[in-house]
């Protein structure tokens, strides 16, 4: 999870007080010169170092329970950036106002803190082990679910640490510590009967015991000590400084039942919901009884069924009709025909599928269109894109796809407006951005990105669908030129599409902006009463849709960026994904216990 201040040019990361002072001295020691650094003492906190009268003052900034930031006794701000902005206008108790940031010299990146590295490693190991993912699937899981995985780790990771001995008595702890050599700082952690924890530590051949307190918000500390979100972070910190204990933690007294010697601690494992996902409806188990929602990786559609080499071996574009069961249930309809629910028998398991069935009386070119769509989908494999299982030619031509039970995003949001938070919408739109970034990387243009074509697997898992208009670009082309204008979703199209019939990932970015607008307005229709051609005039007059009610300013700013008139100046999906990711992480992190992200009922729809 990137630090909330990483983007600030005057943020130095985890540097010491002395290093901060050296920087400011180099900067000339003018009144009001300042920099920001990570605080080693409070997790998620910062220190503001400011020059005044040739002296340097250091103000700790605490991250508070509700996720806001404040200098002790001062006003709260929603982020470190806002806080610095505030103090640049008003000293409000500081030695002077912040006048000039001392920016990092060119090429110097913020230094990662010890917890940043540890945390990143833990998230990676956790995802790898619990969901048995590798390669791209692993990377995507980490990026899309970091906030949720961090929360899981926060509460359970200590259980697999070699220094954690579970529920043992004080006497048992002493016996273990006195066994063998007794260097100062040899330690272990134990759980007490009451469900609280204690640290036991040797110093001068004597064992000392420290109770670990947990405050109302769940943060851990030794009495009077620094507070941490997790027990493992507390231990890592106490390895660096004693924080009031008689000695810092040094040597682990290992628990023989925990594998030792892992630099990245081995996290505990989850019961995997996916294993119960065979057949039709699966009922994912709640993770360790915790309030958490089902993650994309817990569903049966995160990875392709063909990621199993045995299934891949027999993969063919054309499926056998007798392996395909078609239900009467209709999921949707269109020009081409209808989409029905069904199931398909693979070698090892049966999967739920959605089947796009071509009307039998359709013209020849519709058949060709559907085959084009199939050939595009055949080349794509990403957790945030509806995958094609294959095509089946029988009573009619059929496109067999992964099933996305939740239906189109616009309908879903319109019907569940009260239950879906802005954070949830951002989570889904971040997933769409990840899927689109994948398409951009592979040089495909979608050409019909809209909320109606984003399908939900569940409330927290979106996939891009409908590749009916999509094109694969030649390697050295960056746009597709349509020969004639067709039946086009004009309201979703960038000006160059309408004016010059030029389609690129940049024009998909424009559509992504419209899709964002639809999502943050909970399924409203863009440009309300206007007709398609009127929209172009509106755009040419430099006008844009307004910010939907309750849409966060950051998200509206991103939409506006997507609606940059000239495609050359418009951001690409690489950029868009990073921006929405940063915003999503920042609010997912702030949500106390993720309260409303935890409704897990959606997967049942
Ligand atoms: P069209 O080209 O007519 O827009 P779509 O591919 O968007 O066709 O599918 C039409 C509708 O069928 C969707 O809006 C959705 O309700 C349903 N549908 C399509 N694909 C799936 C799927 N993979 N899972 C569940 N429903 C689907
Ligand atoms: Mg569609």
């Amino acid at each position: 999870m990137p630090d909330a201040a990483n983007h600030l040019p005057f943020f130095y990361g985890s540097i010491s007080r002395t290093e901060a002072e050296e920087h400011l001295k180099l900067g000339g020691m003018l009144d009001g010169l300042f920099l920001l650094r990570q605080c080693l003492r409070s997790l998620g906190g910062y220190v503001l170092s400011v020059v005044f009268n040739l002296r340097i003052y250091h103000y700790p900034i605490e991250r508070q329970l509700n996720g806001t930031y404040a200098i002790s006794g001062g006003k709260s701000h929603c982020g470190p950036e806002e806080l610095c902005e505030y103090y640049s206008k008003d000293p409000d108790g500081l030695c002077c106002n912040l006048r000039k940031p001392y920016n990092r010299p060119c090429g110097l990146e913020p230094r990662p803190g010890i917890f940043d590295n540890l945390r990143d490693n833990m998230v990676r190991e956790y995802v790898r082990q619990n969901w048995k993912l590798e390669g791209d699937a692993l990377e995507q899981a980490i990026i899309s679910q970091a906030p949720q995985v961090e929360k899981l780790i926060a509460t359970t990771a200590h259980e697999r640490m070699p220094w954690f001995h579970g529920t043992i008595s004080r006497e048992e702890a002493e016996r273990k510590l006195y066994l063998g050599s007794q260097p100062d700082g040899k330690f272990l952690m134990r759980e007490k009967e009451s469900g609280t924890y204690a640290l036991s530590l040797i110093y001068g051949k004597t064992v000392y015991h420290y109770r670990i307190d947990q405050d109302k918000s769940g943060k851990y500390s030794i009495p009077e000590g620094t507070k941490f979100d997790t027990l493992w972070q507390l231990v890592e910190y106490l390895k660096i400084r004693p924080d009031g204990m008689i000695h810092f933690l040094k040597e682990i007294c290992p628990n023989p039942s925990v594998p030792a010697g892992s630099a990245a601690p081995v996290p505990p494992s989850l019961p995997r919901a996916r294993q119960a996902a065979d057949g039709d409806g699966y009922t994912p188990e709640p993770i360790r009884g915790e309030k958490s929602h089902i993650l994309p990786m817990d569903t049966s559609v995160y990875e392709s069924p063909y990621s199993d080499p045995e299934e891949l071996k027999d993969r063919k574009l054309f499926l056998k009709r007798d392996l395909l069961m078609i239900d009467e249930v209709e999921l949707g309809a269109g020009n081409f025909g209808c989409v029905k629910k069904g199931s398909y028998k693979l070698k090892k398991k049966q999967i739920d599928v959605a089947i796009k069935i071509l009307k039998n009386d359709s013209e020849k070119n519709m058949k060709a269109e559907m085959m084009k769509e199939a050939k595009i989908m055949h080349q794509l494999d990403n957790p945030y894109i509806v995958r094609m299982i294959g095509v089946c030619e029988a009573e009619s031509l059929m496109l067999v796809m992964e099933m996305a039970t939740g239906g189109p995003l616009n309908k879903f949001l319109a019907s569940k407006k009260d239950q879906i938070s802005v954070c949830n919408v951002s989570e889904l739109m971040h997933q769409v951005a990840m899927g689109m970034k994948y398409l951009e990387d592979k040089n495909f243009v979608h050409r019909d990105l809209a909320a109606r074509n984003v399908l939900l697997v569940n409330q927290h898992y979106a996939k891009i669908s409908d590749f009916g208009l999509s094109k694969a670009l030649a390697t050295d082309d960056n746009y597709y030129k349509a020969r004639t204008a067709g039946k086009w979703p004009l309201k979703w199209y960038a000006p160059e599409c309408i004016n010059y019939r030029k389609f690129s990932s940049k024009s998909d970015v424009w559509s992504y902006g419209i899709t964002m607008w639809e999502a943050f307005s909970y399924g409203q229709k863009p440009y309300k009463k206007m007709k398609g051609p009127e929209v172009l005039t509106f755009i040419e007059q430099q006008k844009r849709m307004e910010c939907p009610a309750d849409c966060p300013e950051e998200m509206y700013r991103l939409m506006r960026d997507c609606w940059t008139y000239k495609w050359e100046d418009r951001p690409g999906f690489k950029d868009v994904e990073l921006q929405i990711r940063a915003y999503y992480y920042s609010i997912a992190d702030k949500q106390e216990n993720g309260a409303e992200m935890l409704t897990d009922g959606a997967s049942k729809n």
Side-chain angles (χ1 to χ4, degrees), residues 135-409:
D136 284 347
L138 173 68
E139 298 310 320
Q140 301 255 320
I142 293 169
I143 295 171
S144 68
Q145 301 313 132
Q148 291 81 3
V149 174
E150 281 186 16
K151 269 179 202 141
L152 283 174
I153 291 177
T155 49
T156 55
H158 60 274
E159 291 171 14
R160 285 281 193 95
M161 303 289 190
W163 40 256
F164 185 72
H165 289 247
T167 318
I168 57 167
S169 66
R170 183 185 172 103
E171 292 70 35
E172 179 71 7
E174 293 192 356
R175 201 185 58 74
K176 288 188 168 194
L177 284 163
Y178 285 135
L179 207 72
S181 67
Q182 298 159 24
D184 291 347
K186 183 177 171 187
F187 75 100
L188 61 82
M189 186 185 284
R190 59 195 164 85
E191 193 165 349
K192 301 205 281 185
E193 295 294 346
S194 51
T196 57
Y197 301 90
L199 268 172
S200 303
L201 159 78
I202 286 201
Y203 180 71
K205 312 255 180 247
T206 306
V207 174
Y208 292 78
H209 300 275
Y210 294 89
R211 185 182 79 235
I212 297 174
D213 292 328
Q214 211 175 356
D215 70 10
K216 278 192 220 110
S217 70
K219 287 190 191 282
Y220 298 101
S221 62
I222 54 165
E224 315 287 316
T226 312
K227 295 182 173 185
F228 294 90
D229 291 336
T230 68
L231 289 168
W232 64 271
Q233 283 164 320
L234 172 83
V235 166
E236 289 305 323
Y237 183 77
L238 294 175
K239 282 182 185 169
I240 307 168
R241 46 182 89 191
D243 204 27
M245 295 194 307
I246 195 152
H247 194 273
F248 57 88
L249 304 180
K250 201 167 167 202
E251 192 171 301
I252 295 169
C253 174
N255 178 353
S257 54
V258 172
S262 48
V266 184
S269 59
L270 299 172
R272 291 179 60 206
R274 191 142 56 109
Q275 289 166 344
D278 289 350
D280 33 30
Y282 73 96
T283 41
E285 291 175 47
I287 292 161
R288 300 175 60 89
E290 286 178 44
K291 296 181 269 162
S292 179
H293 65 248
I294 303 151
L295 304 182
M297 300 89 83
D298 294 323
T299 70
S300 54
V301 287
Y302 183 79
E303 276 187 291
S304 163
Y306 297 114
S307 64
D308 180 337
E310 286 233 17
E311 301 283 6
L312 184 65
K313 228 172 40 194
D314 293 346
R315 182 174 191 176
K316 294 199 178 67
L317 179 61
F318 285 92
L319 306 175
K320 288 204 184 105
R321 178 61 182 90
D322 55 351
L323 299 176
L324 181 68
M325 265 74 63
I326 308 174
D327 271 13
E328 279 315 303
V329 187
E330 212 167 278
L331 299 166
N335 265 340
F336 60 88
C338 66
V339 177
K340 285 193 175 171
K341 192 170 163 355
S343 61
Y344 183 72
K345 227 175 140 97
L346 286 159
K347 206 168 180 183
K348 286 160 78 178
K349 61 180 176 186
Q350 186 154 326
I351 55 168
D352 286 345
V353 291
I355 312 154
K356 203 168 185 171
I357 306 171
L358 199 64
K359 267 189 290 202
N360 267 334
D361 56 358
S362 50
E363 309 138 33
K364 244 213 174 115
N365 77 342
M366 293 274 274
K367 229 176 182 173
E369 291 298 316
M370 191 181 250
M371 281 314 296
K372 271 192 207 157
E373 184 174 349
K375 279 184 182 140
I376 296 271
M377 288 182 92
H378 194 62
Q379 300 171 67
L380 306 174
D381 176 12
N382 182 275
Y384 303 103
I385 289 177
V386 171
R387 295 186 187 90
M388 188 188 62
I389 308 301
V391 284
C392 184
E393 207 166 12
E395 60 270 34
S396 23
L397 184 62
M398 297 177 273
L399 186 72
V400 181
M401 296 169 279
E402 285 179 335
M403 175 72 171
T405 352
L409 181 65

Side-chain angles (χ1 to χ4, degrees), residues 333 336 356 448 450 452-455 465-467:
F336 60 88
K356 203 168 185 171
D448 200 4
R452 65 180 171 276
N453 287 332
V454 171
L455 303 182
S465 77
D466 198 346
F467 290 81

